[in-house]
């Protein structure tokens, strides 16, 4: 049986076209989003994501009216984020889902989250100007707010994991509580199979040992598992999930 509430119909903005951001954008498109916009400091990477998705959606999925584009930026100051958000709204009339996969990083003394804070504040403020959304169910129309933001902390963070999580929770909780009609949740992945992980896994025996002994399923998360989680969180199926931190560590935390 198809879960209709996981179907997407709106416009998505992906801030950060790393492996997680790119895969999340592709999965959100697969879930039905009418447009996905990619933004990244690397113009080539953002363009590649946009070009690939456009080809897949119009070719394999036969969605001839599908729309996608990309932006490059030099920083995540509020004026920069505002320009991207305004351009997306000007082009597509709305912005329903945002995934922030960058904006948290290790600073000289501690983890910095000011860039992600800038993103959330600008994105949420823009979404507040939109009309309330409703999802039609068999019993009644369900209020699903005016937009959704999913923040993602860096994958394969090693000992920095608790620091990234703490910084992510701070900005995510603040956003969810301040902007009443906007849902904002956090995804914190531990080990995710990408190029960085493969390099660490093949050269550091302690990582292989830790994964084998401390994670019940004995493996790292696949990129598509993380992307599926993000796509679910922006969907109407998750419309009552707000200000939450979802740790994707395969139950390691509960097992040690």
């Amino acid at each position: 049986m198809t879960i209709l509430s996981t179907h997407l119909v709106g416009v998505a903005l992906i801030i950060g076209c790393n492996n997680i951001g790119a895969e999340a954008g592709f999965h959100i498109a697969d879930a039905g989003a009418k447009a996905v916009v990619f933004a990244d400091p690397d113009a080539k990477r953002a363009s590649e994501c946009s070009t690939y998705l456009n080809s897949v959606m119009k070719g394999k999925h036969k969605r001839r009216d599908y729309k996608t584009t990309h932006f490059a930026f030099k920083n995540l100051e509020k004026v920069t984020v505002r320009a991207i958000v305004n351009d997306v709204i000007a082009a597509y009339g709305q912005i329903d889902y945002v995934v922030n996969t960058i904006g948290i990083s290790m600073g000289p003394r501690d983890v910095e989250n000011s860039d992600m804070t800038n993103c959330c504040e600008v994105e949420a403020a823009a979404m507040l100007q939109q009309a309330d959304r409703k999802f039609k169910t068999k019993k009644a129309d369900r209020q699903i707010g005016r937009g959704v933001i999913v923040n993602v902390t860096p994958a394969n963070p090693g000992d920095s994991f608790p620091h990234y999580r703490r910084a992510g929770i701070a900005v995510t909780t603040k956003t969810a509580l301040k902007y009443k009609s906007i849902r904002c949740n956090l995804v914190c992945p531990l080990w995710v199979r990408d190029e960085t992980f493969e390099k660490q896994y093949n050269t550091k025996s302690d990582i292989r040992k830790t994964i084998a002994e401390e994670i019940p399923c004995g493996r790292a998360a696949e990129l598509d598992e993380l992307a599926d989680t993000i796509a679910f969180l922006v969907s109407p199926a998750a419309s009552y999930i707000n200000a939450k931190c979802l740790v994707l560590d395969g139950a390691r935390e509960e097992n040690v």
Side-chain angles (χ1 to χ4, degrees), residues 86-97:
N86 287 345
D87 283 346
V88 173
I89 294 175
Y92 301 107
Q94 64 196 66
I95 184 168
D96 302 283
Y97 330 112

Side-chain angles (χ1 to χ4, degrees), residues 25-65:
F26 301 155
H27 281 236
I28 287 172
D30 280 341
K34 71 178 183 181
V36 176
V37 178
F38 295 96
D40 193 85
D42 187 331
K44 180 181 178 182
R45 185 161 57 184
S47 176
E48 288 174 347
C49 288
S50 181
T51 300
Y52 170 78
L53 184 57
N54 192 53
S55 174
V56 169
M57 298 309 291
K58 290 186 176 181
K60 178 181 177 181
H61 295 286
K62 308 299 182 183
R63 293 176 59 180
R64 303 300 182 189
D65 61 340

